[in-house]
């Protein structure tokens, strides 16, 4: 709490209206869908905290243009940071809630479970070892509002809802709107273009509707490498010519010129990846009569990314083909990500029994193409571009929900059947194979050189990696709620679920809210939860390039599936579900007209949390009889139920609407403090690996201190006449980064980021807004040298990321 108080003092007097819109007695209009099946609840009557984000109002004036970026500056307990040089992770930003993992947040669309990505994060970034949901696949122009339930809800919704639930509500109103945005960073890169259009029309005479959204966007790459600072060029370039960095410090520009090279030959591209995206979404409902309604929604997204791997230096003779790349190279990872979703359902009302039957389908496919690289073992015959394979995830969910309101009680029950499938597809042979001296694929007994096989930077998936695995689950659930004249609210829920791959689980939840004096209420909740191991965590396997344990070169490492022979030999158990206990308590109050305050404390205990281990060096991982010929690696990683964690925290939201002069001012303060600690470790009994390799300081750091413990925003939004003025300060608390095994421990000091914008209504239907994110160009602290890979990584992607100042202009149209 001390840190939160400091945050409030620092933020002072400016900010943006965020989570609570237009208090003025209109809160009763915000009917809550998420968290219970009582369709009459409002956000002021929920026993657990729910934020309601009016996307159209917030996004109209905000610099952010994607869902995850917008929520990152609106909800303090929500975090999303762009990564760099991290394979697929820099193409899909992991998101977290209340300091938990990306896979411990459930995402719904119109109240229906949304599928996750097929990507496993394994590059030692936030969310390491997890599989999250890509919020950027949903166009922001298609969204009416977002409900964020900040409490465990596995007893209501099943797996993944340990930290909370994000429910995205699509637009349904008739009319048309459009938006065009252009932005550029203060360093003249990261240029952003986004154009979107939304159209809604009524269907029939019974209040049916169809709503369509199209959005196209482009985000340019950024360059945040140390190479652009002239005072360190000597050190950085010298490293290219000598295996021993200390002996190479005397290399100078004359030596580089004498070799027929220029500084541009050695630039590292470090920064945000380039992203191009197109999205088409729809939302519809058609009443057949006054009792029966059909509905459908879904969409398609294609994303093309262009990221950059680690540079291969001229001195790395076993990684490069000198005749092709005499100056080394930096490989480019080109992604193609296809995301499809579709829901079809029917709602039937008979004698006030509401019956909802639906089928929801979703799939995510991630294709890898690597260019500007080589397979060193092929020598001069090596291609320079490779198709490196793909992975995909498919989910289909059938739901039946039944509910009825009787006097003050609301009864609900239902069932769910879910089918999931995960695939890994092999790439081109040259993308994964190691070749012998005769140019043939190496087999046991082949004569090979020390040259590395596979496409450098991202080694392709081989037929040995390829697989198709599926499972299904069946669930039944029930909940009951009681409302006494808006004074007393009680919710109770239970859910039984059986998975075909690990067994059954039973979970329950009890929540209560009591208004002891008018406008003053206390609330509390307790419940159990679970998260099933994802198919990706159970079966993902590959070889990848990374920095060696000494930090001096690039080597090949591996990730082995949980059912592999390597996992069996080293003593790893099959994955089982995570289990959790959630508790929360807080109060809500409205001490004056237009003033709304909530304060909620929480504790989340997770047992058998699934993580990916550190790099385990074991001689058995270089044995072809165990790992297969060509799959020998310096070290290996495995998914395991390795730790127990405890998360404690508090959320504060204060919103005040004030009629100031001839305009309206909204002041909003929101803050979060979260602390996660590892309370126990679970190591295989027979494993010979020391803890530093099994789950070392770097992995502990990711769980406990790599995300800000304190985050807060304070702001104001003032509308007068045709003008709207917005200012927001966001406080990011300190973080700690551990560069183990070859780096050091560094503390990054707290930072404050300021957003500003000015909007003007040109006509009744056209608005023009200009402004900036991070107008004062605030960056995380410079990295200490031993964590920066010889000075290349100037900044770590922590806190607010490495974009710096960003300026934008936006035209909004409403018809």
């Amino acid at each position: 709490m001390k840190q939160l108080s400091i945050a409030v003092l620092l933020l002072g007097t400016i900010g943006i209206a965020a989570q609570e819109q237009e208090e003025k007695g209109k809160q009763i209009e915000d009917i809550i869908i998420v968290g219970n099946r009582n369709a009459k609840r409002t956000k002021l009557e929920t026993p657990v905290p729910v934020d309601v984000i009016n996307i159209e109002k917030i996004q109209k004036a905000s610099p952010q243009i994607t869902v995850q970026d917008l929520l990152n500056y609106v909800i303090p307990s929500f975090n999303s940071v762009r990564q760099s040089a991290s394979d697929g992770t820099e193409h899909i930003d992991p998101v977290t809630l209340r300091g938990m993992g990306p896979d411990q947040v459930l995402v719904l669309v119109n109240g229906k479970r949304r599928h996750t990505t097929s990507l496993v994060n394994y590059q030692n970034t936030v969310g390491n070892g997890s599989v999250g949901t890509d919020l950027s696949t949903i166009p922001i122009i298609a969204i009416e509002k977002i409900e964020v339930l900040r409490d465990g809800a596995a007893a209501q919704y099943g797996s993944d809802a340990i930290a909370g639930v994000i429910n995205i509500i699509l637009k349904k109103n008739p009319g048309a709107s459009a938006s065009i945005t252009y932005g550029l960073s203060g360093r003249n890169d990261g240029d952003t273009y986004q154009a979107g259009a939304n159209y809604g029309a009524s269907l029939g005479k019974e209040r049916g509707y169809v709503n369509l959204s199209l959005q196209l966007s482009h985000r340019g790459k950024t360059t945040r490498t140390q190479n652009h600072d002239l005072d360190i060029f000597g050190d950085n370039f010298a490293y290219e010519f000598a295996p021993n960095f200390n002996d190479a410090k005397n290399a100078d520009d004359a030596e580089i010129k004498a070799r027929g090279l220029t500084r541009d030959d050695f630039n590292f591209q470090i920064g945000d990846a380039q992203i191009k995206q197109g999205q088409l979404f729809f939302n519809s409902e058609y009443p057949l009569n006054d009792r029966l309604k059909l509905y459908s929604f879904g969409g398609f997204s294609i994303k093309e990314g262009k990221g950059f791997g680690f540079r291969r230096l001229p001195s790395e003779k076993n990684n490069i083909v000198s005749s092709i790349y005499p100056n080394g190279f930096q490989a480019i990872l080109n992604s193609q990500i296809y995301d499809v979703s579709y829901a079809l359902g029917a709602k039937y009302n008979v004698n006030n029994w509401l019956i909802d039957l639906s089928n929801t389908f979703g799939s995510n496919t991630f294709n890898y193409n690597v260019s500007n690289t080589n397979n060193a073992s092929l020598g001069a015959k090596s291609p320079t571009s490779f198709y490196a394979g793909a992975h995909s995830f498919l989910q289909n969910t059938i739901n039946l929900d039944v509910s009825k309101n009787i006097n003050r009680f609301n009864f609900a029950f239902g069932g769910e059947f879910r089918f999931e499938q995960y695939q890994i597809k092999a790439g081109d042979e040259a993308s994964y194979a190691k070749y012998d001296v005769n140019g043939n694929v190496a087999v046991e007994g082949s004569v090979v050189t020390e040259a590395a096989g596979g496409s450098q930077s991202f080694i392709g998936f081989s037929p040995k990696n390829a697989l198709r695995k599926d499972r299904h689950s069946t669930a039944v659930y029930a909940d009951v709620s009681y409302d006494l004249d808006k004074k007393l609210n009680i919710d109770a829920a239970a859910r039984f679920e059986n998975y075909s791959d690990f067994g059954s689980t039973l979970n329950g939840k009890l929540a209560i809210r009591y208004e002891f004096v008018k406008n003053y209420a206390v609330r509390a909740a307790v419940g159990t939860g679970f998260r099933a191991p994802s198919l990706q965590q159970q079966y993902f396997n590959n070889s990848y390039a990374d920095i060696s344990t000494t930090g001096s070169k690039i080597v090949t490492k591996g990730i082995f599936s949980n059912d592999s022979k390597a996992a069996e030999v080293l003593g790893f158990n099959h994955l089982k579900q995570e289990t959790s206990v959630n508790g929360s308590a807080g109060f809500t109050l409205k001490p004056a007209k237009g003033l709304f305050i909530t304060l909620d404390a929480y504790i989340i205990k997770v047992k058998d949390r699934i993580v990916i281990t550190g790099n385990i060096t074991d001689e058995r991982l270089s044995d072809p009889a165990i790992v297969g010929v060509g799959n020998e690696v310096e070290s290996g990683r495995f998914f395991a139920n390795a730790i127990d964690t405890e998360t404690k925290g508090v959320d504060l939201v204060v919103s005040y609407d004030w009629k100031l002069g001839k305009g309206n001012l909204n002041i909003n303060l929101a803050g979060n403090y979260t602390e996660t600690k590892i309370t126990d470790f679970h190591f295989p009994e027979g494993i010979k690996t020391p803890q530093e390799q099994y789950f070392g300081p770097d992995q502990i750091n990711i769980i406990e201190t790599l995300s800000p413990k304190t985050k807060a925003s304070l702001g104001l939004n003032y509308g007068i006449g045709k003008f709207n003025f917005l200012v927001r300060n966001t406080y990011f608390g300190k973080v700690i980064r551990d560069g183990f095994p070859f780096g050091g421990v560094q503390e990054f000091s707290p930072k404050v980021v300021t957003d500003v914008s000015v909007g003007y209504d040109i006509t009744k239907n056209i608005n023009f807004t200009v402004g900036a994110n991070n107008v004062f160009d605030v960056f995380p602290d410079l990295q200490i040298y031993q964590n920066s890979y010889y000075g290349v990584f100037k900044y770590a992607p922590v806190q607010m990321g490495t974009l710096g100042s960003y300026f934008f202009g936006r035209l909004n149209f409403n018809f």
Side-chain angles (χ1 to χ4, degrees), residues 584-704:
S584 65
F587 63 83
T588 67
L589 57 108
K590 293 189 293 179
K593 182 180 179 180
L595 178 61
F596 179 51
I597 303 171
T598 67
L599 181 67
D600 294 276
Y602 54 89
I603 181 171
I604 308 169
K605 294 185 177 182
V606 181
K607 184 175 177 58
D608 298 320
R609 186 163 170 173
I610 300 171
V611 296
I612 188 170
T613 69
N615 292 295
I616 296 174
T617 55
D618 190 297
E619 59 186 14
R620 290 170 287 185
L621 298 180
S622 59
D623 184 351
I626 295 176
V627 301
V629 177
N631 292 336
E632 301 89 345
V633 293
E634 183 207 56
S635 60
R637 307 179 76 182
F638 301 81
F639 289 93
N641 296 95
I643 59 174
D644 298 342
T645 62
E646 180 179 270
T647 299
K648 297 178 181 179
V650 61
D651 288 321
L652 171 69
V653 176
V654 180
S655 181
Y656 181 55
D657 285 286
W658 180 21
K659 188 170 182 59
L660 181 62
K662 295 183 179 181
N664 295 306
L665 174 67
N666 176 273
I667 303 173
N668 183 273
L669 166 69
N672 169 262
Y673 176 80
T674 295
E675 183 176 34
T676 297
K677 293 292 184 183
I678 297 175
T679 58
D680 200 5
F681 294 91
H682 308 297
F683 297 157
E685 293 182 2
I687 199 167
K688 303 175 183 178
T689 302
Q691 179 175 328
E692 286 74 14
Q693 291 186 16
Y694 185 85
F695 204 75
D698 54 335
Q699 305 301 316
I700 295 172
N701 166 233
I702 292 172
I703 297 289
E704 294 188 341

Side-chain angles (χ1 to χ4, degrees), residues 158-219:
S159 181
D160 305 350
I162 288 177
V165 179
I166 297 173
N167 185 29
I168 297 173
I169 310 297
L170 300 179
K171 289 181 179 177
K172 60 178 78 67
N173 295 332
S177 63
S179 177
I180 302 173
T181 302
Y182 172 75
L184 187 69
S185 82
R187 286 160 178 75
N188 295 319
D189 60 6
D191 52 319
T192 301
Y193 308 86
Q194 186 181 81
N198 175 268
Y199 175 75
S202 299
L203 291 179
K205 300 180 181 180
E206 301 294 334
R207 296 183 180 180
Y209 61 85
V210 60
N211 191 279
L212 303 175
S213 299
L214 172 66
Q215 185 168 288
L216 304 174
S217 58
H218 164 90
R219 186 188 82 193

Side-chain angles (χ1 to χ4, degrees), residues 100-104 120-121 127-131 159-160 162 471 501-502 530-539 562 572-580 606-613 638-645 678 680 682 694-695 699 702-703:
M100 306 297 289
D103 51 7
Q104 293 166 326
V120 178
N121 298 308
N128 195 41
S130 66
V131 179
S159 181
D160 305 350
I162 288 177
R471 72 173 175 198
D501 53 350
F502 71 81
F530 78 102
R531 191 188 71 80
S534 67
L535 291 176
Q536 295 92 315
Q537 289 174 322
Q538 294 184 68
Y539 299 111
N562 191 248
F572 283 88
N573 298 318
H574 290 296
L575 294 180
K576 58 184 177 181
Q577 75 271 29
E578 301 174 351
T579 58
S580 67
V606 181
K607 184 175 177 58
D608 298 320
R609 186 163 170 173
I610 300 171
V611 296
I612 188 170
T613 69
F638 301 81
F639 289 93
N641 296 95
I643 59 174
D644 298 342
T645 62
I678 297 175
D680 200 5
H682 308 297
Y694 185 85
F695 204 75
Q699 305 301 316
I702 292 172
I703 297 289

Side-chain angles (χ1 to χ4, degrees), residues 26-284:
K26 295 182 180 180
Q27 292 126 322
I28 57 174
E29 298 177 2
D30 286 324
I31 302 298
I32 302 300
I33 297 176
V34 71
N36 68 88
R37 294 180 173 85
N38 187 343
K40 298 182 179 181
R41 286 274 178 85
T42 73
K43 67 183 179 184
L44 298 182
E45 300 167 3
T46 58
V48 293
V50 179
D51 298 313
V52 181
I53 313 301
N54 186 314
I55 290 296
E56 185 173 5
K57 292 181 180 179
I58 295 293
Q59 202 268 335
K60 181 179 179 180
S62 294
Q64 294 76 31
I65 63 173
T66 64
V67 175
Q68 70 272 18
D69 289 340
L70 191 68
L71 294 182
N72 196 34
Y73 283 87
V74 171
I75 300 178
S77 60
F78 181 98
N79 276 287
S80 177
V81 182
R82 297 176 188 173
Q83 303 300 316
S84 180
S86 54
D87 290 347
T89 305
E90 61 181 322
H91 301 251
I92 298 177
D93 301 333
V95 303
T96 63
L97 190 66
R98 283 187 163 179
M100 306 297 289
D103 51 7
Q104 293 166 326
V105 180
L106 177 63
V107 177
L108 309 175
V109 175
N110 287 351
K112 305 299 181 182
R113 175 182 284 265
R114 183 159 178 87
H115 60 283
T116 66
T117 73
S118 57
L119 175 74
V120 178
N121 298 308
Y122 61 85
Q123 289 286 329
N124 284 352
T125 59
V126 172
N128 195 41
S130 66
V131 179
T133 300
D134 186 4
L135 296 180
S136 70
T137 58
I138 303 172
I140 203 161
I141 199 166
I143 301 172
E144 175 186 321
K145 64 180 180 179
I146 298 178
E147 301 171 343
V148 180
L149 169 64
R150 292 180 276 116
D151 197 70
Q156 292 129 308
Y157 298 106
S159 181
D160 305 350
I162 288 177
V165 179
I166 297 173
N167 185 29
I168 297 173
I169 310 297
L170 300 179
K171 289 181 179 177
K172 60 178 78 67
N173 295 332
S177 63
S179 177
I180 302 173
T181 302
Y182 172 75
L184 187 69
S185 82
R187 286 160 178 75
N188 295 319
D189 60 6
D191 52 319
T192 301
Y193 308 86
Q194 186 181 81
N198 175 268
Y199 175 75
S202 299
L203 291 179
K205 300 180 181 180
E206 301 294 334
R207 296 183 180 180
Y209 61 85
V210 60
N211 191 279
L212 303 175
S213 299
L214 172 66
Q215 185 168 288
L216 304 174
S217 58
H218 164 90
R219 186 188 82 193
K221 70 179 180 69
T222 63
T223 301
R224 299 293 180 266
T225 173
Q226 191 89 317
N227 290 19
H228 290 268
D229 293 337
L230 295 177
D231 59 329
I232 58 86
F233 267 143
D235 288 354
N236 203 21
F237 281 89
Y239 174 63
E240 306 282 345
F241 300 106
N244 186 319
F245 177 75
N246 291 324
D247 292 342
K249 285 188 175 181
N250 293 324
D252 55 19
D253 288 347
E255 181 179 356
I256 295 171
K257 185 176 181 180
R259 296 172 181 264
L261 307 175
T262 67
R263 293 183 176 186
D264 289 339
D265 291 320
F266 301 99
N267 275 346
F268 278 64
Q269 171 55 47
I270 302 296
D272 295 343
Q274 174 185 289
I275 301 291
K276 296 180 180 179
Q277 192 165 15
Q279 300 153 301
L280 179 64
F281 261 63
F282 74 96
N283 186 27
S284 64

Side-chain angles (χ1 to χ4, degrees), residues 253-441:
D253 288 347
E255 181 179 356
I256 295 171
K257 185 176 181 180
R259 296 172 181 264
L261 307 175
T262 67
R263 293 183 176 186
D264 289 339
D265 291 320
F266 301 99
N267 275 346
F268 278 64
Q269 171 55 47
I270 302 296
D272 295 343
Q274 174 185 289
I275 301 291
K276 296 180 180 179
Q277 192 165 15
Q279 300 153 301
L280 179 64
F281 261 63
F282 74 96
N283 186 27
S284 64
E285 183 175 279
Y286 184 75
L288 295 178
N289 52 51
D290 58 354
R291 292 186 176 182
L292 180 62
K293 297 179 181 179
L294 301 180
Y295 64 88
S296 184
F297 60 87
F300 174 76
S301 168
I302 179 170
K303 181 190 296 187
E304 294 184 347
K306 182 179 181 181
F308 297 82
F310 275 86
R311 204 181 198 289
R312 299 311 191 259
L313 311 176
S315 58
E316 297 179 40
K317 301 302 182 183
N318 62 327
N319 289 334
I320 67 169
V321 179
S322 297
S323 61
I324 302 177
Y325 297 108
N327 305 328
F329 61 86
Q330 186 171 15
I332 300 172
L333 180 62
N334 302 282
S335 66
Q336 287 184 324
I337 307 170
Y338 300 96
D339 199 278
V340 180
S341 61
Y342 182 76
L344 178 64
K347 296 178 181 179
Y348 187 65
N349 187 334
V350 54
N351 297 325
N352 290 325
W353 283 97
L354 303 178
I355 303 171
D356 184 346
L357 177 64
S358 65
N359 186 89
T360 306
F361 171 86
S363 71
N364 178 272
T365 301
F366 197 123
N367 294 286
Y368 295 88
N369 292 277
V370 194
S371 60
N372 197 45
T373 185
N374 62 220
N375 181 326
S377 68
L378 269 175
K381 298 179 181 179
S382 173
T384 57
S385 297
F386 305 81
Y387 169 65
H391 43 65
S392 64
F393 177 72
L394 176 153
Q395 175 182 285
N396 193 80
T397 306
I398 301 173
N399 267 107
L400 174 65
D401 297 313
V402 181
S403 65
K404 183 178 178 65
N405 194 283
I406 304 175
N407 296 325
R408 296 185 175 97
F409 289 90
N410 189 83
F411 298 94
F413 60 89
E416 177 180 291
F417 177 83
R418 187 164 72 251
F419 173 82
E420 297 175 338
Q421 185 178 87
Y422 176 61
Q423 291 188 67
I424 297 177
K425 301 176 183 179
D428 298 335
E429 179 185 276
S431 74
Y432 60 80
K434 183 178 177 67
Y435 292 87
D436 62 22
V437 293
N438 297 315
N440 300 315
V441 176

